Amino acid sequence: ITMITSILLIPVAYTNVRDVINTVEGQTYPTTKDLRDFLTKELKIEGDDNEEEMVDIQLYNLSDFTQASNDDLINYEGNFICYVHFKK
């Protein structure tokens, strides 16, 4: 099975973000939707349109993350960061 590694950034504003980051780090998800569903539940994102609340959560492939980092586009102070895998 081939895996794709991605970098996940979640704003520190979520009260339980540290626990969630520790739970998802290094885990493998079938799809980005599976990860999004898990985050919606664990971060207690509520409402009919949870997509709006998740807009601050960022998911990068390694190449895009490296580019954004080198271009100083990543807010390291305002986010917790971890890596996750997706099945390819």
Side-chain angles (χ1 to χ4, degrees), residues 31-42:
T31 67
T32 56
K33 181 183 181 323
D34 292 304
L35 174 61
R36 186 176 63 234
D37 290 346
F38 178 83
L39 293 175
T40 298
K41 177 181 170 221
E42 294 300 314

Side-chain angles (χ1 to χ4, degrees):
I1 296 176
T2 304
M3 301 286 185
I4 298 171
T5 301
S6 296
I7 304 297
L8 176 66
L9 287 81
I10 302 177
V12 298
Y14 292 100
T15 54
N16 61 338
V17 65
R18 174 74 104 171
D19 292 335
V20 172
I21 283 287
N22 289 338
T23 299
V24 300
E25 184 166 69
Q27 297 299 312
T28 301
Y29 296 89
T31 67
T32 56
K33 181 183 181 323
D34 292 304
L35 174 61
R36 186 176 63 234
D37 290 346
F38 178 83
L39 293 175
T40 298
K41 177 181 170 221
E42 294 300 314
L43 294 172
K44 299 173 177 54
I45 299 172
E46 298 176 358
D48 293 333
D49 191 13
N50 60 22
E51 293 292 323
E52 279 186 33
E53 287 197 47
M54 292 194 73
V55 74
D56 291 336
I57 296 173
Q58 300 171 28
L59 187 66
Y60 291 91
N61 67 41
L62 290 178
S63 180
D64 289 345
F65 178 77
T66 302
Q67 187 67 41
S69 182
N70 290 339
D71 291 342
D72 292 325
L73 300 175
I74 305 288
N75 174 8
Y76 291 104
E77 293 179 16
N79 290 287
F80 281 100
I81 301 172
C82 73
Y83 65 95
V84 296
H85 305 286
F86 295 98
K87 295 178 182 174
K88 185 173 179 181

